[in-house]
Amino acid sequence: METSGGPSEPQPEEDSDLSPLFFQPDKAGFYSPRTAHNSPERINCYRNIGRFIGLCLLHNHILPLPLCRHVLKIIIGKKISWHDLAFFDSVLYENLRQLVIDAEQNPGQIEKYELTFELEGEDGRGSIELVTNGANIPVTAANVYDYVRLYTKQKLIGSARPALRAVNEGVSDVIPRSSLAGLTAEDLRLMLNGSGEISVELLKQITQFNNEAGPNELRRK
């Protein structure tokens, strides 16, 4: 069974620290930090972006950078779950979901997929072990939930951890963490990016028109 997802992160350029800071993993218009060599200068860029996000929240301005759901959850200090993968890579999420279903309905079938706790590296070179000696640990019906959880964590965070941490710290440089307590990722998205839909009826209800022109002036027009 294939567990590889849909659109993957673009291949880094030769000097990836000069590559774009964000990329669109799946849903068009939503961005996630792009992994690179994580030089101090690049990480500082992410921290400055976090400060810009904090300023947008502080002054009630729209942020022209819609972020992926897991990035928003990291900013508000919420735990990332494997369901967040659906907003990052819907194809991979569906493949992993089907893997779990197969493990529950046909426990003996999953071992035929010959999966282990080892993944291909994000840059297409090398490999990443999800646990110690992961290359020699097969995925079975008994450990499939651990596999899905660790796979999700690696896919969403992985080598982007320093960048995500820097964004979070940058936000905290401007506003206290306590001010974000109680928010959900959807709340934060609405505060940062506003609503993509405009209700004409709602605008009519909250809009007032004051005619300051006198009768004579109206007649002249």
Side-chain angles (χ1 to χ4, degrees):
M1 177 181 179
E2 294 288 339
T3 58
S4 59
S8 60
E9 182 174 350
Q11 292 296 319
E13 300 171 7
E14 184 176 353
D15 185 358
S16 58
D17 271 345
L18 298 179
S19 65
L21 295 172
F22 292 86
F23 78 108
Q24 301 179 65
D26 186 16
K27 295 183 179 296
F30 295 93
Y31 295 84
S32 181
R34 181 179 182 178
T35 58
H37 296 313
N38 294 325
S39 67
E41 293 78 12
R42 187 176 178 89
I43 295 302
N44 189 56
C45 288
Y46 285 114
R47 184 156 189 164
N48 286 332
I49 291 173
R51 290 166 178 159
F52 185 72
I53 293 173
L55 288 171
C56 288
L57 292 171
L58 183 64
H59 298 290
N60 197 27
H61 288 310
I62 294 295
L63 176 72
L65 179 66
L67 298 170
C68 290
R69 191 169 191 264
H70 72 285
V71 181
L72 297 174
K73 292 184 75 172
I74 288 176
I75 291 175
I76 59 179
K78 300 296 183 181
K79 185 177 180 181
I80 292 176
S81 69
W82 90 279
H83 295 290
D84 295 319
L85 186 62
F87 299 88
F88 181 84
D89 189 331
S90 57
V91 176
L92 176 59
Y93 172 81
E94 182 58 31
N95 287 341
L96 291 177
R97 190 182 73 85
Q98 190 60 51
L99 180 66
V100 172
I101 293 175
D102 291 345
E104 293 176 344
Q105 297 179 351
N106 303 292
Q109 181 71 20
I110 190 173
E111 297 182 17
K112 296 181 180 180
Y113 299 145
E114 299 182 349
L115 298 173
T116 66
F117 280 72
E118 181 184 48
L119 307 178
E120 182 180 345
E122 294 180 4
D123 58 358
R125 294 172 293 181
S127 60
I128 299 173
E129 291 189 331
L130 299 176
V131 294
T132 303
N133 197 33
N136 298 316
I137 301 177
V139 177
T140 65
N143 62 22
V144 67
Y145 288 102
D146 291 333
Y147 174 76
V148 168
R149 176 178 55 83
L150 293 170
Y151 196 131
T152 299
K153 184 177 180 180
Q154 175 60 37
K155 191 70 176 178
L156 296 182
I157 301 178
S159 57
R161 184 185 300 274
L164 292 167
R165 184 187 301 117
V167 170
N168 192 21
E169 291 173 349
V171 174
S172 298
D173 288 342
V174 179
I175 59 176
R177 293 181 184 273
S178 58
S179 64
L180 302 177
L183 293 180
T184 65
E186 288 70 27
D187 293 333
L188 184 58
R189 183 184 305 284
L190 186 60
M191 293 172 64
L192 287 174
N193 307 127
S195 175
E197 300 179 356
I198 299 176
S199 171
V200 176
E201 292 302 319
L202 179 59
L203 283 176
K204 290 179 179 179
Q205 295 174 19
I206 64 176
T207 302
Q208 292 182 346
F209 177 74
N210 296 322
N211 184 7
E212 298 180 355
N216 295 332
E217 186 174 350
L218 287 176
R219 282 197 293 268
R220 285 197 299 269
K221 293 182 179 179

